[in-house]
Amino acid sequence: MSFSGILRSLTAALFLTAGLLAAPAVPAQTTVEIIPLGYRSSEQVIPVIQPLLGPDSSVSGFQNQLVIRATPSELAQIRQVLASIDKAPRRLLITVRQDAGLERDRREAGLSGSIGNDHARVTIPGSSARGGGNVVLRDGDDRLRARILDSRQVSRDSTAQTIQVLEGSAAFIRIGESRPVRSRQVVRTVVNGQIVDRVVEGTEYRDANTGFSVLPRLQGDIVTLDIDPQRDAFDDRRRGAVSVQRAATTVSGRLGEWIDLGGVADSRSDERSMLLGRSSDHVEARRGVQVRVEELR
C-alpha cells in the first residue's frame, strides 16, 4: 500500500475513534416497581433508601407501599436494605426513676442559768429549742444549765414510672395534681375622668405533673433515647408554689442497665455564735434521674 493510502486509512480510523468518544453515554434503563412494607412506614424507610438512588431515580410512599423508579442494580440494593430494616419492631419496657433526698445535721451547745448573790446576779438566757441533753448544776439560788443538741434528719422520696413502647416510636406518660390558688390583682379603670383602682379576687388552678416523653432507637443491644423527664411538686411551705425538675437530653446505653440522666446537689451551712454557746446547721439536698430500658420477648 502506498503512503497516501496508509495516511487515508489512519485518518479514517482517527475520525471513527473521535466519533465514538464524542457519542453520549446511554443512561441505564429504569423501571417502576411497587414494594409493600411489612412493619415500617414509608416515612421511616424513605430517608434510608433515598441515598441509594441516582439522579434519574425516585421513591415515594403510598399507604403502606413504596413506589420506586430505579435501575435494576438500585432495586437490588433497596431490597437488601429493606430485608434488614423492615422487621417486626422490638417491644421495650422503659422505666424512669426520679429520686430526691434531704439530709440535715443540726448541732447546738450552750450554757444558761443564773448565778450571783444578794448584791449582784448574772442571768444567762437559754435557747427556746427543746430536746437534746441537759446537765443542771444547782447550789442555793445559783443554777447553771449546760445544754447539747445533736440531731440528724434524713428523708428520701423516689418516684418510678414505666411504659411499654415499640422501638422507633414515641411514648408519653404523665400523672399530676391540680390545686386551687387564690389570686388577687388590681384593675385600673377611668371613671368620669378619674382613675379608679379596683381589687379583683379570683381562683386559678396550678398543676404539678410527673412523667416523661421518650423516643427509643435500637442498634443491637445499644439503645439511644431522646427523653424529657419532668417532676413537679407543690411546696407546702409557700402557698401555690411549685418546685420543678426537668432533664431533657439524648443518651445511649445497654439494654437492662440503669443510665444516669443527670442530678443536682445543693449544700448549705449556717453557723451562729451566741453568748456562751454555738450552733450549726448543715442541709444537703440531692436530686437525680435514671432510666432503664428492657426488651420484652
Side-chain angles (χ1 to χ4, degrees):
M1 179 182 293
S2 65
F3 177 76
S4 59
I6 296 174
L7 183 59
R8 285 195 298 271
S9 298
L10 289 175
T11 303
L14 288 173
F15 275 113
L16 179 60
T17 303
L20 292 175
L21 292 175
V26 179
Q29 189 68 30
T30 61
T31 59
V32 177
E33 188 163 341
I34 298 177
I35 301 179
L37 297 174
Y39 301 97
R40 304 291 181 177
S41 66
S42 58
E43 291 80 5
Q44 292 174 318
V45 171
I46 288 178
V48 181
I49 292 177
Q50 196 76 52
L52 303 177
L53 300 177
D56 298 325
S57 302
S58 63
V59 58
S60 61
F62 177 71
Q63 294 181 349
N64 204 36
Q65 298 173 330
L66 292 178
V67 180
I68 303 174
R69 175 185 293 275
T71 64
S73 61
E74 291 172 344
L75 286 172
Q77 284 184 308
I78 290 172
R79 292 187 181 281
Q80 281 186 332
V81 171
L82 289 178
S84 62
I85 65 174
D86 190 20
K87 298 179 180 179
R90 295 153 75 178
R91 295 171 55 237
L92 306 174
L93 180 68
I94 300 178
T95 303
V96 172
R97 186 171 63 193
Q98 304 190 61
D99 300 323
L102 177 68
E103 296 183 7
R104 181 173 185 176
D105 295 314
R106 184 183 179 191
R107 180 181 293 268
E108 182 176 321
L111 187 66
S112 62
S114 176
I115 187 171
N117 52 35
D118 295 337
H119 302 286
R121 178 165 294 275
V122 177
T123 301
I124 305 172
S127 172
S128 60
R130 297 182 178 180
N134 294 275
V135 178
V136 180
L137 301 177
R138 183 172 182 177
D139 183 9
D141 293 333
D142 298 334
R143 177 183 295 179
L144 289 177
R145 172 177 295 168
R147 180 177 178 277
I148 299 176
L149 173 65
D150 195 353
S151 64
R152 180 177 178 84
Q153 177 187 356
V154 179
S155 62
R156 292 283 187 273
D157 184 15
S158 180
T159 301
Q161 294 175 304
T162 60
I163 192 170
Q164 291 190 33
V165 63
L166 298 177
E167 62 166 312
S169 300
F172 174 81
I173 184 173
R174 176 178 293 174
I175 61 173
E177 178 186 2
S178 294
R179 290 186 183 180
V181 178
R182 296 291 298 272
S183 62
R184 175 181 294 183
Q185 61 179 343
V186 178
V187 178
R188 178 167 292 181
T189 57
V190 179
V191 180
N192 297 327
Q194 294 182 344
I195 298 177
V196 178
D197 291 338
R198 182 166 52 94
V199 178
V200 179
E201 294 185 351
T203 301
E204 61 181 15
Y205 283 84
R206 293 186 182 176
D207 299 331
N209 298 313
T210 297
F212 63 92
S213 59
V214 64
L215 173 62
R217 298 183 295 274
L218 283 179
Q219 187 173 5
D221 289 336
I222 302 298
V223 60
T224 299
L225 299 171
D226 295 331
I227 188 167
D228 183 5
Q230 174 184 358
R231 183 181 184 184
D232 302 340
F234 286 106
D235 190 344
D236 295 329
R237 297 171 298 178
R238 296 178 296 166
R239 184 175 179 82
V242 178
S243 60
V244 179
Q245 173 180 296
R246 300 194 68 172
T249 185
T250 300
V251 294
S252 296
R254 290 192 173 275
L255 291 174
E257 296 181 354
W258 285 103
I259 306 170
D260 286 319
L261 301 185
V264 177
D266 181 21
S267 180
R268 290 171 293 170
S269 296
D270 181 21
E271 294 188 5
R272 291 175 294 172
S273 297
M274 62 191 76
L275 183 61
L276 299 181
R278 186 178 183 85
S279 68
S280 64
D281 197 7
H282 179 74
V283 179
E284 189 166 343
R286 294 187 181 90
R287 293 177 177 269
V289 185
Q290 294 179 312
V291 62
R292 182 178 64 189
V293 181
E294 300 170 284
E295 184 176 0
L296 300 176
R297 301 183 183 276

